[in-house]
Amino acid sequence: LGLRNPATTLPAFHNGKAIKYHGLCDGCQVPENEWRKHRDEWLTDMLKEWTNFIATWKNMKKYKVGMYMVYEHLFDPIKGPATVQRLASLLRDAGFATAPDNDIPCIWHRTLGEDTLKAYHRRAYEYEDYIPGYTATQRDMLSEQLNILAEEQANDAELVGILRGYQDEIRALVRIDTEWNNETTNQRARK
């Protein structure tokens, strides 16, 4: 099951939609005030969808979660190759052919590329115009929703550890931002 910290996946998803459907150039970032407007209007629903995604997969009878593919771990020089190795082992156990174990670190590095790894470690976010922020109230809501989900999934120590890590990152690293203000947009349009 693929996971990413909601504090970064929600704005990245919004940005990806703007690229795919609204003409934003590939690699570009939506204007910050546009992110604020989207965030303030949709954050509660987006976070609910994020938590429901996890709960849905965890509650499926037909499928079993074999592992958690943590997005942030993929960019770590220790955790990244270990994550890919774990995936290869899982696939191998299911009867699929995979690369030899000793090739996995090289495959990991070549797939992501040196530039991507350096950029991620500079900013921990794929776009460089700004780091999407949240109001203090929104930051607290993100943390509380992760806490609720962790309590609901208390029997899954691995998932709880991931969720607690996301909580720590949100408390320590989320940039506190202002609410969306239409006046900011109007002032820019008049210039």
Side-chain angles (χ1 to χ4, degrees), residues 83-113:
T83 299
V84 176
Q85 178 61 58
R86 186 173 172 201
L87 177 61
S89 295
L90 187 71
L91 292 171
R92 199 175 301 122
D93 291 348
F96 294 93
T98 66
D101 290 347
N102 58 345
D103 289 347
I104 299 257
C106 184
I107 293 168
W108 167 81
H109 190 268
R110 290 186 69 181
T111 300
L112 289 177

mmCIF file of all heavy atoms in Angstrom, residues 83-113:
data_model
loop_
_atom_site.group_PDB
_atom_site.id
_atom_site.type_symbol
_atom_site.label_atom_id
_atom_site.label_comp_id
_atom_site.label_asym_id
_atom_site.label_seq_id
_atom_site.Cartn_x
_atom_site.Cartn_y
_atom_site.Cartn_z
ATOM 1 N N THR A 83 13.551 -0.575 1.005
ATOM 2 C CA THR A 83 12.142 -0.648 0.619
ATOM 3 C C THR A 83 11.988 -1.396 -0.700
ATOM 4 O O THR A 83 11.114 -2.257 -0.835
ATOM 5 C CB THR A 83 11.540 0.770 0.506
ATOM 6 O OG1 THR A 83 11.620 1.410 1.784
ATOM 7 C CG2 THR A 83 10.100 0.739 0.042
ATOM 8 N N VAL A 84 12.830 -1.073 -1.661
ATOM 9 C CA VAL A 84 12.769 -1.754 -2.958
ATOM 10 C C VAL A 84 13.130 -3.234 -2.788
ATOM 11 O O VAL A 84 12.512 -4.106 -3.403
ATOM 12 C CB VAL A 84 13.672 -1.049 -3.991
ATOM 13 C CG1 VAL A 84 13.679 -1.807 -5.314
ATOM 14 C CG2 VAL A 84 13.203 0.389 -4.211
ATOM 15 N N GLN A 85 14.088 -3.518 -1.918
ATOM 16 C CA GLN A 85 14.459 -4.907 -1.640
ATOM 17 C C GLN A 85 13.284 -5.670 -1.028
ATOM 18 O O GLN A 85 13.010 -6.815 -1.403
ATOM 19 C CB GLN A 85 15.660 -4.966 -0.691
ATOM 20 C CG GLN A 85 16.065 -6.379 -0.322
ATOM 21 C CD GLN A 85 16.480 -7.187 -1.533
ATOM 22 O OE1 GLN A 85 17.398 -6.789 -2.238
ATOM 23 N NE2 GLN A 85 15.816 -8.289 -1.792
ATOM 24 N N ARG A 86 12.602 -5.034 -0.113
ATOM 25 C CA ARG A 86 11.438 -5.677 0.508
ATOM 26 C C ARG A 86 10.354 -5.961 -0.530
ATOM 27 O O ARG A 86 9.733 -7.024 -0.527
ATOM 28 C CB ARG A 86 10.903 -4.792 1.629
ATOM 29 C CG ARG A 86 9.797 -5.424 2.422
ATOM 30 C CD ARG A 86 9.417 -4.583 3.616
ATOM 31 N NE ARG A 86 8.226 -5.121 4.244
ATOM 32 C CZ ARG A 86 7.428 -4.438 5.036
ATOM 33 N NH1 ARG A 86 7.714 -3.184 5.335
ATOM 34 N NH2 ARG A 86 6.354 -4.990 5.543
ATOM 35 N N LEU A 87 10.123 -5.000 -1.427
ATOM 36 C CA LEU A 87 9.147 -5.203 -2.494
ATOM 37 C C LEU A 87 9.570 -6.360 -3.404
ATOM 38 O O LEU A 87 8.750 -7.207 -3.756
ATOM 39 C CB LEU A 87 8.969 -3.918 -3.310
ATOM 40 C CG LEU A 87 8.029 -4.011 -4.517
ATOM 41 C CD1 LEU A 87 6.616 -4.385 -4.077
ATOM 42 C CD2 LEU A 87 8.036 -2.700 -5.292
ATOM 43 N N ALA A 88 10.849 -6.401 -3.756
ATOM 44 C CA ALA A 88 11.341 -7.483 -4.613
ATOM 45 C C ALA A 88 11.143 -8.837 -3.927
ATOM 46 O O ALA A 88 10.716 -9.802 -4.573
ATOM 47 C CB ALA A 88 12.819 -7.254 -4.947
ATOM 48 N N SER A 89 11.408 -8.912 -2.649
ATOM 49 C CA SER A 89 11.219 -10.171 -1.902
ATOM 50 C C SER A 89 9.759 -10.577 -1.884
ATOM 51 O O SER A 89 9.426 -11.759 -2.054
ATOM 52 C CB SER A 89 11.737 -10.026 -0.475
ATOM 53 O OG SER A 89 13.124 -9.825 -0.469
ATOM 54 N N LEU A 90 8.888 -9.605 -1.679
ATOM 55 C CA LEU A 90 7.450 -9.874 -1.670
ATOM 56 C C LEU A 90 7.003 -10.397 -3.034
ATOM 57 O O LEU A 90 6.262 -11.394 -3.113
ATOM 58 C CB LEU A 90 6.698 -8.582 -1.314
ATOM 59 C CG LEU A 90 5.215 -8.675 -1.095
ATOM 60 C CD1 LEU A 90 4.916 -9.405 0.210
ATOM 61 C CD2 LEU A 90 4.615 -7.273 -1.043
ATOM 62 N N LEU A 91 7.472 -9.764 -4.097
ATOM 63 C CA LEU A 91 7.124 -10.206 -5.449
ATOM 64 C C LEU A 91 7.715 -11.585 -5.744
ATOM 65 O O LEU A 91 7.059 -12.440 -6.334
ATOM 66 C CB LEU A 91 7.594 -9.179 -6.480
ATOM 67 C CG LEU A 91 6.866 -7.837 -6.453
ATOM 68 C CD1 LEU A 91 7.571 -6.835 -7.354
ATOM 69 C CD2 LEU A 91 5.414 -8.003 -6.837
ATOM 70 N N ARG A 92 8.938 -11.789 -5.326
ATOM 71 C CA ARG A 92 9.596 -13.086 -5.535
ATOM 72 C C ARG A 92 8.818 -14.194 -4.816
ATOM 73 O O ARG A 92 8.600 -15.270 -5.374
ATOM 74 C CB ARG A 92 11.039 -13.010 -5.024
ATOM 75 C CG ARG A 92 11.943 -14.072 -5.566
ATOM 76 C CD ARG A 92 13.399 -13.882 -5.122
ATOM 77 N NE ARG A 92 13.946 -12.603 -5.548
ATOM 78 C CZ ARG A 92 14.445 -11.681 -4.707
ATOM 79 N NH1 ARG A 92 14.517 -11.904 -3.427
ATOM 80 N NH2 ARG A 92 14.909 -10.547 -5.180
ATOM 81 N N ASP A 93 8.395 -13.929 -3.576
ATOM 82 C CA ASP A 93 7.620 -14.911 -2.804
ATOM 83 C C ASP A 93 6.287 -15.238 -3.475
ATOM 84 O O ASP A 93 5.741 -16.319 -3.286
ATOM 85 C CB ASP A 93 7.367 -14.414 -1.383
ATOM 86 C CG ASP A 93 8.637 -14.377 -0.538
ATOM 87 O OD1 ASP A 93 9.666 -14.955 -0.970
ATOM 88 O OD2 ASP A 93 8.602 -13.756 0.546
ATOM 89 N N ALA A 94 5.773 -14.278 -4.259
ATOM 90 C CA ALA A 94 4.510 -14.489 -4.974
ATOM 91 C C ALA A 94 4.727 -15.141 -6.338
ATOM 92 O O ALA A 94 3.771 -15.334 -7.091
ATOM 93 C CB ALA A 94 3.777 -13.161 -5.142
ATOM 94 N N GLY A 95 5.993 -15.460 -6.666
ATOM 95 C CA GLY A 95 6.264 -16.178 -7.903
ATOM 96 C C GLY A 95 6.741 -15.327 -9.062
ATOM 97 O O GLY A 95 6.887 -15.831 -10.182
ATOM 98 N N PHE A 96 6.991 -14.049 -8.842
ATOM 99 C CA PHE A 96 7.465 -13.178 -9.918
ATOM 100 C C PHE A 96 8.989 -13.164 -9.959
ATOM 101 O O PHE A 96 9.647 -13.276 -8.926
ATOM 102 C CB PHE A 96 6.946 -11.743 -9.720
ATOM 103 C CG PHE A 96 5.466 -11.618 -9.855
ATOM 104 C CD1 PHE A 96 4.644 -11.707 -8.738
ATOM 105 C CD2 PHE A 96 4.883 -11.416 -11.096
ATOM 106 C CE1 PHE A 96 3.268 -11.604 -8.854
ATOM 107 C CE2 PHE A 96 3.508 -11.302 -11.226
ATOM 108 C CZ PHE A 96 2.698 -11.395 -10.098
ATOM 109 N N ALA A 97 9.530 -12.983 -11.137
ATOM 110 C CA ALA A 97 10.974 -12.833 -11.291
ATOM 111 C C ALA A 97 11.364 -11.402 -10.945
ATOM 112 O O ALA A 97 10.667 -10.451 -11.333
ATOM 113 C CB ALA A 97 11.389 -13.165 -12.724
ATOM 114 N N THR A 98 12.433 -11.242 -10.218
ATOM 115 C CA THR A 98 12.923 -9.907 -9.868
ATOM 116 C C THR A 98 14.425 -9.858 -10.109
ATOM 117 O O THR A 98 15.071 -10.884 -10.318
ATOM 118 C CB THR A 98 12.651 -9.566 -8.386
ATOM 119 O OG1 THR A 98 13.420 -10.435 -7.561
ATOM 120 C CG2 THR A 98 11.177 -9.680 -8.041
ATOM 121 N N ALA A 99 14.963 -8.680 -10.052
ATOM 122 C CA ALA A 99 16.414 -8.512 -10.175
ATOM 123 C C ALA A 99 17.098 -9.177 -8.976
ATOM 124 O O ALA A 99 16.495 -9.298 -7.898
ATOM 125 C CB ALA A 99 16.755 -7.026 -10.220
ATOM 126 N N PRO A 100 18.339 -9.572 -9.135
ATOM 127 C CA PRO A 100 19.080 -10.137 -8.000
ATOM 128 C C PRO A 100 19.225 -9.111 -6.878
ATOM 129 O O PRO A 100 19.313 -7.905 -7.129
ATOM 130 C CB PRO A 100 20.448 -10.483 -8.595
ATOM 131 C CG PRO A 100 20.252 -10.509 -10.064
ATOM 132 C CD PRO A 100 19.111 -9.587 -10.365
ATOM 133 N N ASP A 101 19.266 -9.601 -5.652
ATOM 134 C CA ASP A 101 19.343 -8.725 -4.483
ATOM 135 C C ASP A 101 20.500 -7.730 -4.556
ATOM 136 O O ASP A 101 20.331 -6.563 -4.205
ATOM 137 C CB ASP A 101 19.487 -9.555 -3.198
ATOM 138 C CG ASP A 101 18.219 -10.301 -2.850
ATOM 139 O OD1 ASP A 101 17.166 -9.997 -3.435
ATOM 140 O OD2 ASP A 101 18.276 -11.180 -1.967
ATOM 141 N N ASN A 102 21.649 -8.183 -5.021
ATOM 142 C CA ASN A 102 22.804 -7.283 -5.027
ATOM 143 C C ASN A 102 22.691 -6.174 -6.081
ATOM 144 O O ASN A 102 23.450 -5.215 -6.040
ATOM 145 C CB ASN A 102 24.114 -8.069 -5.187
ATOM 146 C CG ASN A 102 24.146 -8.907 -6.447
ATOM 147 O OD1 ASN A 102 23.113 -9.143 -7.081
ATOM 148 N ND2 ASN A 102 25.327 -9.364 -6.816
ATOM 149 N N ASP A 103 21.751 -6.271 -7.020
ATOM 150 C CA ASP A 103 21.540 -5.219 -8.017
ATOM 151 C C ASP A 103 20.551 -4.140 -7.552
ATOM 152 O O ASP A 103 20.479 -3.063 -8.154
ATOM 153 C CB ASP A 103 21.021 -5.812 -9.329
ATOM 154 C CG ASP A 103 22.074 -6.615 -10.065
ATOM 155 O OD1 ASP A 103 23.274 -6.520 -9.713
ATOM 156 O OD2 ASP A 103 21.701 -7.347 -11.004
ATOM 157 N N ILE A 104 19.805 -4.427 -6.514
ATOM 158 C CA ILE A 104 18.715 -3.525 -6.090
ATOM 159 C C ILE A 104 19.210 -2.119 -5.742
ATOM 160 O O ILE A 104 18.619 -1.137 -6.210
ATOM 161 C CB ILE A 104 17.911 -4.149 -4.940
ATOM 162 C CG1 ILE A 104 17.307 -5.451 -5.416
ATOM 163 C CG2 ILE A 104 16.915 -3.170 -4.347
ATOM 164 C CD1 ILE A 104 15.890 -5.509 -5.769
ATOM 165 N N PRO A 105 20.270 -1.945 -4.942
ATOM 166 C CA PRO A 105 20.704 -0.565 -4.650
ATOM 167 C C PRO A 105 21.038 0.235 -5.904
ATOM 168 O O PRO A 105 20.689 1.420 -6.001
ATOM 169 C CB PRO A 105 21.932 -0.759 -3.753
ATOM 170 C CG PRO A 105 21.709 -2.084 -3.105
ATOM 171 C CD PRO A 105 21.039 -2.925 -4.172
ATOM 172 N N CYS A 106 21.682 -0.395 -6.859
ATOM 173 C CA CYS A 106 22.027 0.297 -8.116
ATOM 174 C C CYS A 106 20.766 0.637 -8.907
ATOM 175 O O CYS A 106 20.643 1.740 -9.449
ATOM 176 C CB CYS A 106 22.967 -0.568 -8.931
ATOM 177 S SG CYS A 106 23.546 0.242 -10.436
ATOM 178 N N ILE A 107 19.841 -0.294 -8.972
ATOM 179 C CA ILE A 107 18.573 -0.046 -9.672
ATOM 180 C C ILE A 107 17.835 1.108 -9.020
ATOM 181 O O ILE A 107 17.319 2.003 -9.698
ATOM 182 C CB ILE A 107 17.705 -1.318 -9.713
ATOM 183 C CG1 ILE A 107 18.361 -2.378 -10.597
ATOM 184 C CG2 ILE A 107 16.281 -1.003 -10.163
ATOM 185 C CD1 ILE A 107 17.744 -3.759 -10.475
ATOM 186 N N TRP A 108 17.786 1.112 -7.682
ATOM 187 C CA TRP A 108 17.132 2.203 -6.941
ATOM 188 C C TRP A 108 17.760 3.542 -7.312
ATOM 189 O O TRP A 108 17.061 4.488 -7.663
ATOM 190 C CB TRP A 108 17.255 1.949 -5.423
ATOM 191 C CG TRP A 108 16.899 3.135 -4.597
ATOM 192 C CD1 TRP A 108 15.647 3.550 -4.255
ATOM 193 C CD2 TRP A 108 17.795 4.091 -4.021
ATOM 194 N NE1 TRP A 108 15.707 4.698 -3.499
ATOM 195 C CE2 TRP A 108 17.025 5.051 -3.347
ATOM 196 C CE3 TRP A 108 19.179 4.227 -4.007
ATOM 197 C CZ2 TRP A 108 17.584 6.122 -2.659
ATOM 198 C CZ3 TRP A 108 19.743 5.293 -3.329
ATOM 199 C CH2 TRP A 108 18.947 6.226 -2.672
ATOM 200 N N HIS A 109 19.094 3.615 -7.257
ATOM 201 C CA HIS A 109 19.785 4.879 -7.516
ATOM 202 C C HIS A 109 19.599 5.339 -8.957
ATOM 203 O O HIS A 109 19.315 6.513 -9.208
ATOM 204 C CB HIS A 109 21.273 4.726 -7.195
ATOM 205 C CG HIS A 109 21.994 6.020 -7.196
ATOM 206 N ND1 HIS A 109 22.626 6.520 -8.311
ATOM 207 C CD2 HIS A 109 22.169 6.952 -6.220
ATOM 208 C CE1 HIS A 109 23.167 7.684 -8.031
ATOM 209 N NE2 HIS A 109 22.904 7.978 -6.772
ATOM 210 N N ARG A 110 19.700 4.422 -9.896
ATOM 211 C CA ARG A 110 19.564 4.796 -11.310
ATOM 212 C C ARG A 110 18.129 5.177 -11.658
ATOM 213 O O ARG A 110 17.903 6.033 -12.509
ATOM 214 C CB ARG A 110 20.048 3.668 -12.203
ATOM 215 C CG ARG A 110 21.571 3.499 -12.108
ATOM 216 C CD ARG A 110 22.087 2.517 -13.074
ATOM 217 N NE ARG A 110 21.934 3.090 -14.408
ATOM 218 C CZ ARG A 110 22.269 2.474 -15.515
ATOM 219 N NH1 ARG A 110 22.782 1.278 -15.462
ATOM 220 N NH2 ARG A 110 22.088 3.039 -16.685
ATOM 221 N N THR A 111 17.157 4.543 -11.015
ATOM 222 C CA THR A 111 15.750 4.858 -11.291
ATOM 223 C C THR A 111 15.400 6.260 -10.814
ATOM 224 O O THR A 111 14.770 7.031 -11.528
ATOM 225 C CB THR A 111 14.831 3.815 -10.623
ATOM 226 O OG1 THR A 111 15.145 2.524 -11.159
ATOM 227 C CG2 THR A 111 13.374 4.130 -10.868
ATOM 228 N N LEU A 112 15.799 6.593 -9.588
ATOM 229 C CA LEU A 112 15.492 7.933 -9.072
ATOM 230 C C LEU A 112 16.405 8.985 -9.682
ATOM 231 O O LEU A 112 15.957 10.075 -10.013
ATOM 232 C CB LEU A 112 15.610 7.955 -7.548
ATOM 233 C CG LEU A 112 14.524 7.201 -6.806
ATOM 234 C CD1 LEU A 112 14.777 7.221 -5.317
ATOM 235 C CD2 LEU A 112 13.152 7.781 -7.112
ATOM 236 N N GLY A 113 17.666 8.682 -9.810
ATOM 237 C CA GLY A 113 18.622 9.621 -10.383
ATOM 238 C C GLY A 113 19.197 10.566 -9.343
ATOM 239 O O GLY A 113 18.530 10.951 -8.378
#
